[in-house]
Amino acid sequence: MMASYLEQLDCLTRDISDSFPGNDALISQLVTLITTCPPTFTYLHDPHTPRATASLVNALTSSLSAIDAKSFAPDDDAVPIIASAQVNAIVSFSHRLFYDTTFNRLAKWRPRWEDGCENWPGGTAGGVRYNDSLDGFLHGLRALQVQLCGAKTEVKSPRKGRGKTRAQDVAKVVKMVLVVDRVERLKESLPGLLVPLTRLAELSRVDIQTIFISQSPWEDIKPPLGAAVDPFHLLVHPPSQEDTLRILTSHFPTDGDLAAAPHAYHPALAQLYAQYANALYSICSPFTRDPHELAYVAAAQWPNFIAPVLEAQKGLSEFHVISEDVRLRLLRVFLPSFTAALEALVPRRMHARAWCRMPDLSEGPSVDEKNVEAVIRSLPTLQKYILLSAFLASSNPPRTDVRMFARSHDTRSKRRRGGGTRRTPQRSASSSAKVSQRLAGPTPFPLDRMNAILATLLEEHDLETRVIGTEFTQPGEYSEMELMRVHTSSAVAELAAAHLLLRVSPPDRLDGPPMYKCGISFDVALALGRDMRVPILDLIWETG
């Protein structure tokens, strides 16, 4: 038994909802508006993911127009013939392009090379052109409606007697849907079309609904003097974290052969990919929440991210499970590169395939760290001490600063050294194991905390290389004076520009000191400490 029209609509709604997670309410509302008694003008405002919304509307209207209304009962007037067309305002930058694109898609007409790439002819043998003007466009919509209905009308002249109109009984109602994507560009290229499109049903006298999709609000686009009608507003909210992660993980194939050779999309790596997508979202979501853009960045970063794991799996008889230690180390290495990938890939400054071919930290940490060490060793002495201070501030908890860096003799004798033996507190079997700070990655710190550690390092390890004037009589007075100079702030800014210091607070933030994170690894900090004769291991609270 064939399903009814409402059952087909429910099935279509579920299919579209599975393809676009998190948009169930929007999809249900659009289906109801299009198939019943829609408003003549609808404005769809999506400030976060306009391209995803345009894809959703295109998939929905195409599926609705693919339903064969003639397969249902002839007396069922509730089943309309839906003809849809989605026009991109960037591509259709002239009147003829806009009119021809609309007619071809409403009539499902495909220009073919054998026919001279002719556009929709209008169903007439006289060669009437409907793309010359707005008036012709309106007449073309009426002719298209007659063609879709399959009805022929004949009107007698009133001068010869009583006017009579003969027409075939139209079994189905024809509804047209015109969707204009990126309509903010329409205001720049074809501003004269804005008002007629908002009143298209009134001017053409056909059952047509106009839907605008834009990233900008209607107040920024509407024509002046109140010429356009007020639209029916639909606001699209940004997708939640769960829906975005569901979209990202859906791109990873899970139906492969588990016995296959190790490759980047092996089914055994699905759980690692889910954790990778979660870390990517936490880094990139403040800048973009578009699932398609995040999936593009994730696909570009994944081959380099998984390369060390695939290298370790070579020669093994079966694919081994990735341990938690390896996962944390990989995320720690790649977290700084997520932002760089976002800055290069989202504006399309670089193709994803070209980004995959770039040498990354995963291709050999020894080579990259040697390059970083060579750059760091060429820095001035003050910047080297700043990097060591930043590393200690990111590695140690703030509550340990007094014990690790106190200058007085009493407190210095009581503080704990990193290389000494400590008694590990007993923990119960139900408590979770604490992750080492080295595996968890660098933590943010305020600038004044780093300056306090820097003053201690300069006072304890740089006194022999400095000439102190006689006016400085108190211990630490010269070091505190150095921190207040302009060249210290300039050194911090230069290190931040070189990504050796990572600023995590917004630049326009006025309340409180700026927040930073260290951008060098543990091995690079040890090498720098050996060059500066600073015992880094003695100054780290946790060395494991």
Side-chain angles (χ1 to χ4, degrees):
M1 181 178 180
M2 185 179 62
S4 65
Y5 182 64
L6 294 179
E7 291 175 349
Q8 285 201 13
L9 290 182
D10 293 339
C11 182
L12 184 147
T13 302
R14 288 193 298 269
D15 293 341
I16 300 296
S17 299
D18 294 338
S19 302
F20 297 90
N23 295 281
D24 300 347
L26 176 64
I27 294 171
S28 177
Q29 193 170 14
L30 286 175
V31 169
T32 304
L33 288 176
I34 293 174
T35 57
T36 54
C37 297
T40 58
F41 177 37
T42 304
Y43 192 83
L44 200 56
H45 179 208
D46 189 351
H48 304 282
T49 57
R51 283 192 291 180
T53 300
S55 300
L56 184 152
V57 175
N58 187 24
L60 178 61
T61 54
S62 300
S63 301
L64 289 174
S65 61
I67 297 178
D68 187 10
K70 299 179 181 178
S71 61
F72 298 95
D75 55 349
D76 190 359
D77 296 336
V79 182
I81 298 176
I82 297 178
S84 64
Q86 184 156 341
V87 183
N88 192 311
I90 298 179
V91 179
S92 303
F93 52 86
S94 67
H95 289 82
R96 288 192 174 183
L97 279 175
F98 188 91
Y99 297 153
D100 288 334
T101 304
T102 302
F103 287 136
N104 290 338
R105 294 180 179 176
L106 285 175
K108 296 182 180 180
W109 175 273
R110 184 177 180 180
R112 296 183 301 177
W113 181 263
E114 295 80 5
D115 300 333
C117 297
E118 182 184 9
N119 291 314
W120 176 69
T124 58
V128 180
R129 302 180 64 179
Y130 297 117
N131 60 358
D132 287 336
S133 62
L134 177 63
D135 186 63
F137 177 64
L138 300 178
H139 282 83
L141 290 177
R142 299 191 195 106
L144 179 60
Q145 185 189 34
V146 173
Q147 177 180 330
L148 293 175
C149 292
K152 297 181 180 179
T153 58
E154 180 181 353
V155 180
K156 293 184 178 181
S157 173
R159 297 179 181 179
K160 297 181 180 181
R162 183 180 301 174
K164 296 181 180 179
T165 301
R166 292 182 303 160
Q168 295 180 354
D169 294 334
V170 180
K172 301 298 179 183
V173 178
V174 175
K175 292 181 179 291
M176 299 183 187
V177 182
L178 175 58
V179 182
V180 183
D181 183 21
R182 301 297 294 273
V183 74
E184 62 270 6
R185 296 294 294 270
L186 193 67
K187 183 179 180 180
E188 302 173 2
S189 58
L190 302 173
L193 276 183
L194 279 176
V195 175
L197 288 178
T198 61
R199 298 178 175 270
L200 196 57
E202 174 188 349
L203 297 175
S204 63
R205 299 195 298 275
V206 298
D207 190 359
I208 185 170
Q209 177 188 12
T210 305
I211 300 177
F212 283 174
I213 303 176
S214 177
Q215 192 174 6
S216 304
W218 171 243
E219 287 72 18
D220 297 343
I221 297 178
K222 69 176 182 179
L225 304 178
V229 298
D230 293 332
F232 179 78
H233 286 274
L234 285 177
L235 178 61
V236 181
H237 299 281
S240 62
Q241 180 177 356
E242 293 76 11
D243 296 330
T244 305
L245 292 178
R246 196 190 319 167
I247 295 174
L248 293 180
T249 53
S250 65
H251 293 285
F252 192 91
T254 57
D255 54 351
D257 186 10
L258 290 173
H263 57 89
Y265 291 94
H266 195 277
L269 298 174
Q271 184 178 2
L272 179 61
Y273 186 84
Q275 297 168 342
Y276 161 81
N278 194 2
L280 177 72
Y281 179 85
S282 63
I283 296 296
C284 301
S285 59
F287 307 100
T288 178
R289 294 188 180 182
D290 192 342
H292 297 279
E293 296 293 348
L294 293 176
Y296 188 73
V297 177
Q301 281 280 86
W302 177 249
N304 288 334
F305 180 86
I306 204 62
V309 177
L310 299 180
E311 186 68 24
Q313 298 287 340
K314 286 184 178 180
L316 300 179
S317 58
E318 59 181 4
F319 205 100
H320 287 188
V321 180
I322 309 301
S323 63
E324 187 73 10
D325 185 20
V326 173
R327 182 185 69 83
L328 289 175
R329 289 181 183 273
L330 281 175
L331 291 176
R332 175 179 173 272
V333 170
F334 272 86
L335 281 180
S337 64
F338 285 158
T339 306
L342 187 72
E343 294 175 355
L345 296 175
V346 171
R348 299 301 187 267
R349 297 175 181 174
M350 183 179 294
H351 192 268
R353 182 170 297 177
W355 181 267
C356 291
R357 294 173 180 173
M358 289 183 59
D360 208 313
L361 295 174
S362 62
E363 296 185 357
S366 59
V367 177
D368 258 11
E369 288 177 2
K370 287 181 180 178
N371 296 334
V372 173
E373 288 180 20
V375 172
I376 289 178
R377 285 173 179 172
S378 63
L379 295 176
T381 302
L382 179 62
Q383 294 189 8
K384 294 180 181 179
Y385 277 107
I386 291 176
L387 286 179
L388 290 177
S389 304
F391 176 78
L392 294 174
S394 284
S395 302
N396 294 340
R399 58 182 174 81
T400 63
D401 288 349
V402 176
R403 298 183 181 183
M404 302 301 293
F405 304 105
R407 290 196 201 89
S408 64
H409 178 74
D410 296 335
T411 54
R412 186 179 302 178
S413 61
K414 295 180 181 179
R415 69 184 181 187
R416 296 180 181 178
R417 292 289 186 174
T421 303
R422 302 191 185 98
R423 296 179 60 185
T424 304
Q426 300 293 331
R427 66 172 179 265
S428 60
S430 60
S431 62
S432 59
K434 182 181 179 182
V435 179
S436 175
Q437 185 61 44
R438 285 182 55 188
L439 298 179
T443 58
F445 57 84
L447 181 61
D448 52 0
R449 182 180 170 222
M450 187 197 73
N451 287 337
I453 299 176
L454 175 61
T456 304
L457 295 182
L458 292 176
E459 191 68 21
E460 293 185 357
H461 303 283
D462 197 42
L463 285 177
E464 298 179 357
T465 60
R466 293 184 297 176
V467 179
I468 302 177
T470 56
E471 65 275 11
F472 299 102
T473 57
Q474 299 295 329
E477 187 178 359
Y478 181 79
S479 299
E480 293 179 1
M481 183 62 67
E482 284 292 311
L483 298 179
M484 301 300 295
R485 296 184 184 274
V486 177
H487 73 278
T488 304
S489 302
S490 301
V492 173
E494 291 175 4
L495 292 175
H499 296 285
L500 297 175
L501 279 181
L502 307 176
R503 178 160 183 164
V504 297
S505 61
D508 55 350
R509 178 181 174 182
L510 300 179
D511 53 332
M515 303 290 292
Y516 289 91
K517 284 198 305 185
C518 182
I520 62 176
S521 64
F522 179 78
D523 297 331
V524 174
L526 287 182
L528 181 60
R530 286 193 298 266
D531 292 343
M532 304 301 295
R533 297 181 180 180
V534 177
I536 293 295
L537 290 178
D538 291 343
L539 298 176
I540 298 178
W541 183 255
E542 294 178 354
T543 57

